[in-house]
Amino acid sequence: EVQLVESGGGLVQTGGSLRLSCRASGFTFGDYAIGWFRQGPGTKREAVACIIKFDSSTYYSDSVRGRFTISSDNAENTVYLQMNSLKPEDTAVYSCAARKRPIVTASAARCDYWGQGTQVTVSS
């Protein structure tokens, strides 16, 4: 059974940092692209970042590039999202997702498995 379990969300002040984790199980980690998406209150779900293992290709949305870093620990089947210089507009439920093909994507529709999500709240 494929499972994605997120952790690391919480409440942080503007300018602070958080690191989210997405632990994957039930599939061969290297055969998938793993991404982070977010949905804030009253907003559409948007892609944040994506990574594939075999060549470490990454994707970042314009809104987070330079502040967020996606990485993977292949031994632990875990993908991280380091979030620095957080802003109130980063407040959202962050979910990780897996795509069966190892091609980075910003499309939620191309993802096959989803975690439950973790709340990130940035206070002003």
Side-chain angles (χ1 to χ4, degrees), residues 21-119:
S21 300
C22 172
R23 186 174 180 89
S25 61
F27 61 92
T28 303
F29 198 58
D31 293 341
Y32 284 64
I34 308 293
W36 287 95
F37 293 77
R38 69 184 182 185
Q39 187 165 17
T43 67
K44 293 170 57 176
R45 183 166 53 191
E46 64 168 332
V48 175
C50 186
I51 188 168
I52 57 173
K53 172 191 168 185
F54 80 94
D55 67 357
S56 298
S57 295
T58 57
Y59 158 85
Y60 293 98
S61 69
D62 289 343
S63 61
V64 307
R65 187 177 295 112
R67 299 188 297 125
F68 292 10
T69 302
I70 190 169
S71 62
S72 66
D73 182 334
N74 301 324
E76 296 293 327
N77 273 15
T78 300
V79 170
Y80 301 100
L81 185 67
Q82 178 67 44
M83 306 186 295
N84 298 328
S85 303
L86 282 161
K87 306 175 182 179
E89 51 264 44
D90 294 317
T91 294
V93 175
Y94 285 71
S95 301
C96 70
R99 181 186 186 188
K100 288 182 182 176
R101 298 180 67 191
I103 302 172
V104 293
T105 183
S107 169
R110 295 183 183 274
C111 296
D112 301 285
Y113 304 103
W114 290 85
Q116 291 297 313
T118 185
Q119 176 71 46

Side-chain angles (χ1 to χ4, degrees), residues 12-17 85-89 121-124:
V12 65
Q13 292 185 331
T14 296
S17 298
S85 303
L86 282 161
K87 306 175 182 179
E89 51 264 44
T121 303
V122 184
S123 64
S124 56

